[in-house]
Amino acid sequence: GCIDCHDPSSMEVRVTRPAFIAGMQKLAASKAEVPHLPSIDRWRKGNRSRPYDPNLDGTRQEKRSYVCGQCHVEYFCGKGLNILFPWAEGFATEQMEHVYDTLQVGGKRFKDWTHAETGFEVLKAQHPEFEMWSQGVHARSGVACADCHMPYKREGAQKISDHWVRSPLLQPNRACAGCHPYPDDELKARVHAIQDRHFALMTRAGSAATAMIDAIVAVRKPYDDKARDAAAAKAKAALEKNEAFQKAPREEQDKKLAAEVKSNLLASWREVVEKTPALKELENLQRAAQWRLDVVAAENSMGFHAPQEMARVLGEAIDLSRQAQVKAAQLTGG
């Protein structure tokens, strides 16, 4: 609604999400370089008698991006944690990754989920448009999210932001031509060239990730085969004591038994991983490779918000996936 971005008494632009405010305070208190946000630099040079406040310290132009950054971001919620924006070290992909890698939940390293095939604990990116925009030339040039996605228009004698938030390519004459005085077709062609190249590189990163996963699955398979009989016996013994299981239809029993066997195999595999350095190294490589690919794939500009930065991240994703693939092949004698 209107009040998410505007003060109802004055209609001034504002932010309201507590997680965004907390994330920006941690960012400002860090040593991260944020040249696209001069208000943070001014706050750092001030007396710092209070935490950075996006509403009090942010410029109006910065807040025209802050209001978008309340939702179009990487975040985590759940597992007993408040909503977390991982900006305590900066907006870059590896800075957010390090925050998660050093975050402890229940005495263990944070994970978003466990990969069903490899059994490795990995991360899942959401939609980090705000973070990726911050790494691009438009942010460095002082261009806010609203400048492109909510370009100014005239209504009578008034100049207002268009509140039909959408792709700049649907109205390049207003969204882009103010800074790039070229015909619509040329503006669109430039964007499409960036996005096509980005999609090609992202596809290669996806292929590398798939090859990595297949290679790791081949490493895990002998361990699962060896542990399967014990896992099945343990599952059967546990479920036979369950009265609800005994009364369930045969098809449902089979599903529950299969799920219990799978859970036991994963537990057995996790024990092996935790005490085997070579497997732990593989887990860390998959975690890092998938995080980089996912940050880019989950971001919705198809590379345009920060083409060079996203190419760098995808290059790292490909490299890490291939490293894992090679190390997995060595473990299986390939």
mmCIF file of all heavy atoms in Angstrom, residues 3-38:
data_model
loop_
_atom_site.group_PDB
_atom_site.id
_atom_site.type_symbol
_atom_site.label_atom_id
_atom_site.label_comp_id
_atom_site.label_asym_id
_atom_site.label_seq_id
_atom_site.Cartn_x
_atom_site.Cartn_y
_atom_site.Cartn_z
ATOM 1 N N ILE A 3 1.341 3.504 2.250
ATOM 2 C CA ILE A 3 2.095 3.799 3.458
ATOM 3 C C ILE A 3 3.364 2.960 3.593
ATOM 4 O O ILE A 3 4.195 3.236 4.455
ATOM 5 C CB ILE A 3 1.238 3.633 4.727
ATOM 6 C CG1 ILE A 3 0.742 2.194 4.870
ATOM 7 C CG2 ILE A 3 0.080 4.606 4.732
ATOM 8 C CD1 ILE A 3 0.060 1.926 6.211
ATOM 9 N N ASP A 4 3.540 1.943 2.751
ATOM 10 C CA ASP A 4 4.793 1.195 2.774
ATOM 11 C C ASP A 4 5.958 2.050 2.292
ATOM 12 O O ASP A 4 7.112 1.803 2.654
ATOM 13 C CB ASP A 4 4.696 -0.062 1.901
ATOM 14 C CG ASP A 4 3.804 -1.123 2.522
ATOM 15 O OD1 ASP A 4 3.965 -1.379 3.724
ATOM 16 O OD2 ASP A 4 2.948 -1.665 1.819
ATOM 17 N N CYS A 5 5.670 3.022 1.452
ATOM 18 C CA CYS A 5 6.718 3.850 0.855
ATOM 19 C C CYS A 5 6.555 5.339 1.153
ATOM 20 O O CYS A 5 7.464 6.115 0.881
ATOM 21 C CB CYS A 5 6.751 3.669 -0.661
ATOM 22 S SG CYS A 5 6.938 1.958 -1.215
ATOM 23 N N HIS A 6 5.390 5.749 1.665
ATOM 24 C CA HIS A 6 5.123 7.171 1.906
ATOM 25 C C HIS A 6 4.626 7.409 3.323
ATOM 26 O O HIS A 6 3.795 6.661 3.835
ATOM 27 C CB HIS A 6 4.063 7.690 0.926
ATOM 28 C CG HIS A 6 4.505 7.701 -0.507
ATOM 29 N ND1 HIS A 6 5.298 8.691 -1.040
ATOM 30 C CD2 HIS A 6 4.260 6.830 -1.526
ATOM 31 C CE1 HIS A 6 5.524 8.435 -2.324
ATOM 32 N NE2 HIS A 6 4.908 7.306 -2.639
ATOM 33 N N ASP A 7 5.148 8.466 3.943
ATOM 34 C CA ASP A 7 4.639 8.916 5.231
ATOM 35 C C ASP A 7 3.215 9.440 5.024
ATOM 36 O O ASP A 7 3.003 10.346 4.224
ATOM 37 C CB ASP A 7 5.539 10.031 5.773
ATOM 38 C CG ASP A 7 5.161 10.444 7.186
ATOM 39 O OD1 ASP A 7 3.952 10.639 7.440
ATOM 40 O OD2 ASP A 7 6.067 10.584 8.017
ATOM 41 N N PRO A 8 2.218 8.893 5.721
ATOM 42 C CA PRO A 8 0.839 9.289 5.452
ATOM 43 C C PRO A 8 0.526 10.752 5.792
ATOM 44 O O PRO A 8 -0.448 11.310 5.282
ATOM 45 C CB PRO A 8 0.015 8.338 6.326
ATOM 46 C CG PRO A 8 0.946 7.882 7.385
ATOM 47 C CD PRO A 8 2.298 7.844 6.756
ATOM 48 N N SER A 9 1.349 11.362 6.637
ATOM 49 C CA SER A 9 1.072 12.751 7.010
ATOM 50 C C SER A 9 1.697 13.753 6.049
ATOM 51 O O SER A 9 1.198 14.867 5.889
ATOM 52 C CB SER A 9 1.580 13.035 8.430
ATOM 53 O OG SER A 9 2.979 12.830 8.516
ATOM 54 N N SER A 10 2.798 13.352 5.398
ATOM 55 C CA SER A 10 3.494 14.292 4.514
ATOM 56 C C SER A 10 3.691 13.781 3.101
ATOM 57 O O SER A 10 4.068 14.542 2.207
ATOM 58 C CB SER A 10 4.869 14.622 5.103
ATOM 59 O OG SER A 10 5.694 13.457 5.108
ATOM 60 N N MET A 11 3.488 12.465 2.888
ATOM 61 C CA MET A 11 3.727 11.782 1.612
ATOM 62 C C MET A 11 5.207 11.740 1.229
ATOM 63 O O MET A 11 5.561 11.399 0.104
ATOM 64 C CB MET A 11 2.899 12.396 0.477
ATOM 65 C CG MET A 11 1.418 12.143 0.610
ATOM 66 S SD MET A 11 1.003 10.384 0.776
ATOM 67 C CE MET A 11 1.410 9.758 -0.836
ATOM 68 N N GLU A 12 6.092 12.073 2.180
ATOM 69 C CA GLU A 12 7.523 11.945 1.921
ATOM 70 C C GLU A 12 7.873 10.459 1.788
ATOM 71 O O GLU A 12 7.277 9.600 2.447
ATOM 72 C CB GLU A 12 8.335 12.560 3.063
ATOM 73 C CG GLU A 12 8.306 14.079 3.098
ATOM 74 C CD GLU A 12 8.983 14.683 1.885
ATOM 75 O OE1 GLU A 12 10.052 14.177 1.477
ATOM 76 O OE2 GLU A 12 8.440 15.671 1.336
ATOM 77 N N VAL A 13 8.874 10.178 0.956
ATOM 78 C CA VAL A 13 9.309 8.789 0.784
ATOM 79 C C VAL A 13 9.930 8.298 2.087
ATOM 80 O O VAL A 13 10.712 9.012 2.734
ATOM 81 C CB VAL A 13 10.327 8.683 -0.366
ATOM 82 C CG1 VAL A 13 10.809 7.241 -0.519
ATOM 83 C CG2 VAL A 13 9.712 9.154 -1.674
ATOM 84 N N ARG A 14 9.598 7.071 2.494
ATOM 85 C CA ARG A 14 10.132 6.507 3.728
ATOM 86 C C ARG A 14 10.228 4.992 3.597
ATOM 87 O O ARG A 14 9.654 4.387 2.686
ATOM 88 C CB ARG A 14 9.225 6.853 4.906
ATOM 89 C CG ARG A 14 7.882 6.118 4.834
ATOM 90 C CD ARG A 14 7.102 6.222 6.119
ATOM 91 N NE ARG A 14 5.885 5.404 6.075
ATOM 92 C CZ ARG A 14 5.047 5.272 7.098
ATOM 93 N NH1 ARG A 14 5.279 5.914 8.230
ATOM 94 N NH2 ARG A 14 3.971 4.513 6.984
ATOM 95 N N VAL A 15 10.974 4.371 4.524
ATOM 96 C CA VAL A 15 11.001 2.908 4.623
ATOM 97 C C VAL A 15 10.339 2.509 5.932
ATOM 98 O O VAL A 15 10.363 3.257 6.913
ATOM 99 C CB VAL A 15 12.434 2.344 4.535
ATOM 100 C CG1 VAL A 15 13.044 2.650 3.189
ATOM 101 C CG2 VAL A 15 13.311 2.898 5.649
ATOM 102 N N THR A 16 9.740 1.326 5.940
ATOM 103 C CA THR A 16 8.997 0.868 7.110
ATOM 104 C C THR A 16 9.419 -0.502 7.606
ATOM 105 O O THR A 16 9.120 -0.861 8.744
ATOM 106 C CB THR A 16 7.489 0.809 6.791
ATOM 107 O OG1 THR A 16 7.294 -0.071 5.663
ATOM 108 C CG2 THR A 16 6.939 2.185 6.445
ATOM 109 N N ARG A 17 10.106 -1.290 6.805
ATOM 110 C CA ARG A 17 10.413 -2.672 7.170
ATOM 111 C C ARG A 17 11.547 -2.738 8.201
ATOM 112 O O ARG A 17 12.671 -2.307 7.914
ATOM 113 C CB ARG A 17 10.804 -3.494 5.935
ATOM 114 C CG ARG A 17 9.719 -3.574 4.859
ATOM 115 C CD ARG A 17 8.529 -4.398 5.329
ATOM 116 N NE ARG A 17 7.640 -4.706 4.234
ATOM 117 C CZ ARG A 17 6.620 -3.958 3.857
ATOM 118 N NH1 ARG A 17 6.364 -2.819 4.488
ATOM 119 N NH2 ARG A 17 5.846 -4.320 2.845
ATOM 120 N N PRO A 18 11.284 -3.289 9.394
ATOM 121 C CA PRO A 18 12.327 -3.358 10.425
ATOM 122 C C PRO A 18 13.579 -4.106 9.968
ATOM 123 O O PRO A 18 14.693 -3.726 10.334
ATOM 124 C CB PRO A 18 11.633 -4.089 11.575
ATOM 125 C CG PRO A 18 10.178 -3.831 11.372
ATOM 126 C CD PRO A 18 9.985 -3.787 9.889
ATOM 127 N N ALA A 19 13.418 -5.169 9.168
ATOM 128 C CA ALA A 19 14.577 -5.959 8.728
ATOM 129 C C ALA A 19 15.483 -5.132 7.824
ATOM 130 O O ALA A 19 16.715 -5.260 7.875
ATOM 131 C CB ALA A 19 14.112 -7.216 8.006
ATOM 132 N N PHE A 20 14.885 -4.292 6.967
ATOM 133 C CA PHE A 20 15.691 -3.429 6.101
ATOM 134 C C PHE A 20 16.474 -2.427 6.931
ATOM 135 O O PHE A 20 17.670 -2.208 6.708
ATOM 136 C CB PHE A 20 14.796 -2.696 5.097
ATOM 137 C CG PHE A 20 15.548 -1.747 4.204
ATOM 138 C CD1 PHE A 20 16.120 -2.189 3.018
ATOM 139 C CD2 PHE A 20 15.691 -0.408 4.543
ATOM 140 C CE1 PHE A 20 16.833 -1.317 2.203
ATOM 141 C CE2 PHE A 20 16.390 0.473 3.739
ATOM 142 C CZ PHE A 20 16.959 0.015 2.559
ATOM 143 N N ILE A 21 15.802 -1.815 7.895
ATOM 144 C CA ILE A 21 16.465 -0.819 8.745
ATOM 145 C C ILE A 21 17.619 -1.463 9.506
ATOM 146 O O ILE A 21 18.729 -0.926 9.569
ATOM 147 C CB ILE A 21 15.444 -0.177 9.703
ATOM 148 C CG1 ILE A 21 14.405 0.623 8.902
ATOM 149 C CG2 ILE A 21 16.144 0.728 10.721
ATOM 150 C CD1 ILE A 21 13.230 1.133 9.721
ATOM 151 N N ALA A 22 17.379 -2.664 10.074
ATOM 152 C CA ALA A 22 18.436 -3.370 10.809
ATOM 153 C C ALA A 22 19.592 -3.740 9.887
ATOM 154 O O ALA A 22 20.770 -3.614 10.261
ATOM 155 C CB ALA A 22 17.865 -4.625 11.463
ATOM 156 N N GLY A 23 19.266 -4.188 8.658
ATOM 157 C CA GLY A 23 20.312 -4.549 7.706
ATOM 158 C C GLY A 23 21.157 -3.358 7.315
ATOM 159 O O GLY A 23 22.391 -3.458 7.217
ATOM 160 N N MET A 24 20.532 -2.206 7.098
ATOM 161 C CA MET A 24 21.269 -1.001 6.724
ATOM 162 C C MET A 24 22.129 -0.501 7.879
ATOM 163 O O MET A 24 23.225 0.036 7.676
ATOM 164 C CB MET A 24 20.302 0.081 6.265
ATOM 165 C CG MET A 24 19.608 -0.224 4.949
ATOM 166 S SD MET A 24 20.761 -0.415 3.563
ATOM 167 C CE MET A 24 21.333 1.274 3.380
ATOM 168 N N GLN A 25 21.658 -0.671 9.106
ATOM 169 C CA GLN A 25 22.450 -0.265 10.260
ATOM 170 C C GLN A 25 23.718 -1.118 10.374
ATOM 171 O O GLN A 25 24.803 -0.605 10.660
ATOM 172 C CB GLN A 25 21.607 -0.371 11.533
ATOM 173 C CG GLN A 25 20.535 0.705 11.628
ATOM 174 C CD GLN A 25 19.611 0.535 12.815
ATOM 175 O OE1 GLN A 25 19.585 -0.534 13.455
ATOM 176 N NE2 GLN A 25 18.831 1.557 13.123
ATOM 177 N N LYS A 26 23.580 -2.423 10.130
ATOM 178 C CA LYS A 26 24.752 -3.298 10.163
ATOM 179 C C LYS A 26 25.714 -2.968 9.021
ATOM 180 O O LYS A 26 26.939 -2.986 9.198
ATOM 181 C CB LYS A 26 24.319 -4.760 10.081
ATOM 182 C CG LYS A 26 23.614 -5.260 11.332
ATOM 183 C CD LYS A 26 23.206 -6.721 11.187
ATOM 184 C CE LYS A 26 22.488 -7.217 12.441
ATOM 185 N NZ LYS A 26 22.067 -8.629 12.296
ATOM 186 N N LEU A 27 25.162 -2.670 7.853
ATOM 187 C CA LEU A 27 26.002 -2.297 6.714
ATOM 188 C C LEU A 27 26.786 -1.027 7.018
ATOM 189 O O LEU A 27 27.999 -0.956 6.776
ATOM 190 C CB LEU A 27 25.127 -2.086 5.474
ATOM 191 C CG LEU A 27 25.858 -1.573 4.228
ATOM 192 C CD1 LEU A 27 26.730 -2.666 3.629
ATOM 193 C CD2 LEU A 27 24.859 -1.078 3.186
ATOM 194 N N ALA A 28 26.102 -0.009 7.545
ATOM 195 C CA ALA A 28 26.760 1.260 7.842
ATOM 196 C C ALA A 28 27.848 1.095 8.902
ATOM 197 O O ALA A 28 28.910 1.730 8.828
ATOM 198 C CB ALA A 28 25.726 2.288 8.301
ATOM 199 N N ALA A 29 27.604 0.219 9.876
ATOM 200 C CA ALA A 29 28.570 0.001 10.949
ATOM 201 C C ALA A 29 29.760 -0.840 10.499
ATOM 202 O O ALA A 29 30.771 -0.911 11.209
ATOM 203 C CB ALA A 29 27.891 -0.658 12.143
ATOM 204 N N SER A 30 29.668 -1.459 9.328
ATOM 205 C CA SER A 30 30.749 -2.297 8.809
ATOM 206 C C SER A 30 31.786 -1.427 8.083
ATOM 207 O O SER A 30 31.656 -0.206 8.008
ATOM 208 C CB SER A 30 30.193 -3.348 7.846
ATOM 209 O OG SER A 30 29.827 -2.750 6.606
ATOM 210 N N LYS A 31 32.790 -2.100 7.527
ATOM 211 C CA LYS A 31 33.814 -1.397 6.747
ATOM 212 C C LYS A 31 33.578 -1.537 5.245
ATOM 213 O O LYS A 31 34.442 -1.200 4.436
ATOM 214 C CB LYS A 31 35.198 -1.932 7.108
ATOM 215 C CG LYS A 31 35.592 -1.684 8.560
ATOM 216 C CD LYS A 31 36.979 -2.241 8.858
ATOM 217 C CE LYS A 31 37.362 -1.992 10.319
ATOM 218 N NZ LYS A 31 38.706 -2.537 10.639
ATOM 219 N N ALA A 32 32.389 -2.016 4.864
ATOM 220 C CA ALA A 32 32.089 -2.238 3.450
ATOM 221 C C ALA A 32 32.075 -0.922 2.678
ATOM 222 O O ALA A 32 31.606 0.103 3.177
ATOM 223 C CB ALA A 32 30.730 -2.921 3.308
ATOM 224 N N GLU A 33 32.605 -0.972 1.462
ATOM 225 C CA GLU A 33 32.593 0.204 0.599
ATOM 226 C C GLU A 33 31.229 0.315 -0.068
ATOM 227 O O GLU A 33 30.758 -0.624 -0.709
ATOM 228 C CB GLU A 33 33.690 0.102 -0.461
ATOM 229 C CG GLU A 33 35.103 0.130 0.129
ATOM 230 C CD GLU A 33 36.162 0.111 -0.970
ATOM 231 O OE1 GLU A 33 35.785 0.223 -2.156
ATOM 232 O OE2 GLU A 33 37.346 -0.036 -0.627
ATOM 233 N N VAL A 34 30.599 1.467 0.092
ATOM 234 C CA VAL A 34 29.280 1.712 -0.513
ATOM 235 C C VAL A 34 29.273 3.103 -1.153
ATOM 236 O O VAL A 34 28.540 3.998 -0.714
ATOM 237 C CB VAL A 34 28.141 1.565 0.521
ATOM 238 C CG1 VAL A 34 27.822 0.114 0.798
ATOM 239 C CG2 VAL A 34 28.495 2.268 1.836
ATOM 240 N N PRO A 35 30.096 3.302 -2.205
ATOM 241 C CA PRO A 35 30.197 4.641 -2.814
ATOM 242 C C PRO A 35 28.888 5.133 -3.426
ATOM 243 O O PRO A 35 28.721 6.337 -3.614
ATOM 244 C CB PRO A 35 31.272 4.443 -3.889
ATOM 245 C CG PRO A 35 31.275 2.973 -4.181
ATOM 246 C CD PRO A 35 30.943 2.319 -2.876
ATOM 247 N N HIS A 36 27.968 4.211 -3.704
ATOM 248 C CA HIS A 36 26.694 4.624 -4.299
ATOM 249 C C HIS A 36 25.719 5.145 -3.248
ATOM 250 O O HIS A 36 24.626 5.605 -3.598
ATOM 251 C CB HIS A 36 26.066 3.444 -5.054
ATOM 252 C CG HIS A 36 25.672 2.302 -4.182
ATOM 253 N ND1 HIS A 36 26.575 1.536 -3.484
ATOM 254 C CD2 HIS A 36 24.446 1.790 -3.858
ATOM 255 C CE1 HIS A 36 25.960 0.614 -2.794
ATOM 256 N NE2 HIS A 36 24.663 0.748 -2.997
ATOM 257 N N LEU A 37 26.103 5.055 -1.973
ATOM 258 C CA LEU A 37 25.249 5.545 -0.885
ATOM 259 C C LEU A 37 26.032 6.578 -0.061
ATOM 260 O O LEU A 37 26.554 6.271 1.016
ATOM 261 C CB LEU A 37 24.790 4.389 0.006
ATOM 262 C CG LEU A 37 23.959 3.289 -0.673
ATOM 263 C CD1 LEU A 37 23.665 2.156 0.296
ATOM 264 C CD2 LEU A 37 22.657 3.853 -1.243
ATOM 265 N N PRO A 38 26.152 7.803 -0.552
ATOM 266 C CA PRO A 38 26.974 8.812 0.140
ATOM 267 C C PRO A 38 26.500 9.136 1.548
ATOM 268 O O PRO A 38 27.294 9.576 2.382
ATOM 269 C CB PRO A 38 26.874 10.043 -0.782
ATOM 270 C CG PRO A 38 25.671 9.805 -1.642
ATOM 271 C CD PRO A 38 25.576 8.324 -1.794
#
